[in-house]
Amino acid sequence: MDNVLDGQVGGAPVRETPQIEFAGRRGALFFLVFKNVLLNIFTLGIFRFWGKTRVRRYFWGNIVIGGEPLEYVGRGMEMFIGFLIVLAVLVPLSLAGSGIRYLFQGDEIWARFIFDLLYFPIFLFLVQFALFRMWRYRLTRTVWRGLRFGLDGDALPYAFRAFGWWIARILTLGLVHPWANVYLMGYKMRRVRFGNTKFNFTGNGKALIVPWLIAWIIPGSLLIFGSISTQVYAFQMMQNISQGLQTLPKPSAWSIAGFSVLPIGTIIFLLTFTWYRVREFRYFAKCIGFGEARLASEARTRKILPWLLLAGVAFFGLIGIIFSVFVAVGASVGTAATGIEAFIPIILPILVLLFMPVITYPIVVFSIVRHLWMTLSITNPQA
C-alpha cells in the first residue's frame, strides 16, 4: 500500500512513491528452468506449457508494487488448448501452401517466388492477431491487490492496423518504425484496464525518430545491401538447380560484398537496436498513465547490454560443448561419419533449443526484468 508521510509541504500531504521491487533470485530461477527442461525431454515437449506457466508465476510473484506482489493465475492447460487451436489453423494453411508450391515445381521459379510473396503476408497478419490475444490472456491472468487487469477490444482491428504498419515499414525501409510502435502501443494501452479504470497513453513518434535514425541508418543500410546481394545470388543458384546445371553460379563482386557486410551489419544492429529499445522503453513508460499517476523509468543500456553479450558467449559455448560431446562419443566408439556424427546436424539444434532456456532465463531475462522494474517508479502516486 502507498506509504503516507506525516510531514506537510505547502499544506499538502507528502506521499512517498510506492516502492517497486523485484525480489527474485537467479539461483531459484535456474533450478526452476532446468527442471522444466528435463520434464520437457521426458514428455517430448508437452510439459512446456505448464513449465512456462511456472516461470511466469515466478516472475509475477517477485514483482512487488507498494509492498504487494503481482499474481499470475494462468494455467498450463489453457495454454495447451490455445496451442491446439493455433495448430488447427496453421497446419491446414501450411499444407495448402505446400500443395500449391508443389504445383509450381520445375521451371516455374518466378511463379513460386510470387506465390511466396503473397503467402508471407497471410502469416504476418495471423501473427499480429495472435499477439493481441496473447497480450489479452496475460493481462486477464494478472492480479494485483485482488483486482485483475484486462484488455478491451477485438484482435481483428488490431491485426489490420499492425499489418498495415508492417507494410509501411517495408515500403519505407524501416523509417516509419517509431510512428508504428508509438501508434500500436497507444492503441493497446488505451484499452488496458485495471479493475474498471483504463490506462492512458500520450506519445508521438517524432520523439523517437532521431534515436531510431541513429540506431538504424548505418546497420540498416548494411543489412539491406547484404540481404539483397545474397538473395540475388541465391535466386541465381535456384535457377541453375531448376535447369539441371551441376555448377554453382560465379558470385559477382556485389554478392561477395553482400556476404561480407551481412554479419557486420547484424552485429552493429544488435548493439544499436538494444540502445534504441531502452530509450523507447523509457519514453513509453513516461507516456503511460493511470488516472493522474504516471510511470517513469531510469533504465540504462549499459546495465542490459553486458548480459546480452554474455548470453551470446554462453550460447556459442553451449553449441561447442554439445558438438564436442558428439565428436568425442563418436571417436570413442570408433564410428565413421555415417554413424553418430551423421546425426549432429539433426540432434544439435534440438538440444540447443531444449537447453537454451537454462541460459536465456537466468542470465538475460532475469537481469533485464530486474533492471527494468528496479528502475521504474510512479509519479503522483496519490492520484
Side-chain angles (χ1 to χ4, degrees), residues 53-366:
T53 298
R54 291 182 176 184
V55 171
R56 287 181 183 175
R57 286 177 181 166
Y58 167 86
F59 279 111
W60 267 244
N62 283 296
I63 295 172
V64 182
I65 305 174
E68 297 189 30
L70 295 177
E71 183 182 0
Y72 181 75
V73 296
R75 296 184 299 152
M77 181 58 70
E78 293 174 334
M79 297 180 64
F80 180 64
I81 293 174
F83 171 73
L84 295 179
I85 294 174
V86 171
L87 282 183
V89 175
L90 292 183
V91 170
L93 190 62
S94 299
L95 292 176
S98 300
I100 295 175
R101 286 190 91 257
Y102 180 78
L103 297 177
F104 292 127
Q105 284 187 344
D107 297 330
E108 305 293 337
I109 188 169
W110 278 105
R112 283 187 288 155
F113 179 72
I114 294 174
F115 170 76
D116 289 339
L117 288 180
L118 297 176
Y119 196 61
F120 171 74
I122 298 176
F123 279 98
L124 181 60
F125 178 83
L126 291 176
V127 166
Q128 305 308 314
F129 183 88
L131 282 175
F132 190 88
R133 293 183 63 87
M134 178 194 71
W135 289 319
R136 170 179 290 165
Y137 176 80
R138 290 184 181 180
L139 284 167
T140 56
R141 270 62 178 179
T142 300
V143 178
W144 186 62
R145 291 183 171 177
L147 292 178
R148 284 183 185 245
F149 288 82
L151 180 62
D152 297 331
D154 297 324
L156 199 59
Y158 173 84
F160 277 113
R161 288 170 170 80
F163 177 77
W165 277 111
W166 269 107
I167 298 300
R169 284 186 179 99
I170 295 172
L171 294 179
T172 62
L173 301 179
L175 293 180
V176 300
H177 180 82
W179 282 278
N181 277 13
V182 169
Y183 175 86
L184 295 175
M185 176 61 73
Y187 184 90
K188 289 179 293 186
M189 288 308 306
R190 295 184 189 102
R191 288 159 177 78
V192 174
R193 54 181 168 77
F194 176 59
N196 294 323
T197 305
K198 288 188 177 181
F199 283 73
N200 57 73
F201 184 86
T202 56
N204 192 303
K206 291 189 297 184
L208 293 171
I209 184 61
V210 173
W212 173 247
L213 290 177
I214 295 174
W216 172 245
I217 289 297
I218 295 179
S221 301
L222 295 176
L223 288 173
I224 292 172
F225 170 74
S227 299
I228 294 176
S229 301
T230 53
Q231 287 299 316
V232 168
Y233 181 77
F235 186 76
Q236 294 172 345
M237 184 172 61
M238 290 174 60
Q239 280 187 315
N240 282 14
I241 294 174
S242 64
Q243 295 172 3
L245 300 179
Q246 300 298 321
T247 58
L248 295 176
K250 183 179 179 180
S252 63
W254 289 105
S255 299
I256 296 175
F259 282 114
S260 302
V261 304
L262 200 56
I264 298 174
T266 301
I267 294 173
I268 296 176
F269 180 66
L270 290 176
L271 298 176
T272 57
F273 186 70
T274 301
W275 170 80
Y276 170 79
R277 284 288 288 168
V278 174
R279 292 182 65 95
E280 184 185 66
F281 178 83
R282 293 204 305 262
Y283 179 72
F284 283 170
K286 183 176 65 174
C287 295
I288 295 173
F290 184 75
E292 296 300 322
R294 308 205 72 79
L295 297 179
S297 172
E298 296 296 330
R300 292 291 181 264
T301 307
R302 66 177 182 270
K303 298 293 185 178
I304 293 177
L305 191 57
W307 295 107
L308 294 175
L309 297 176
L310 178 60
V313 173
F315 171 74
F316 288 107
L318 177 64
I319 293 179
I321 291 172
I322 296 177
F323 182 82
S324 300
V325 169
F326 269 97
V327 173
V329 171
S332 64
V333 298
T335 58
T338 56
I340 193 171
E341 296 170 358
F343 291 95
I344 291 179
I346 300 174
I347 300 178
L348 181 60
I350 296 176
L351 291 176
V352 170
L353 289 175
L354 281 173
F355 285 95
M356 267 306 295
V358 179
I359 294 176
T360 56
Y361 276 94
I363 295 179
V364 181
V365 179
F366 178 91

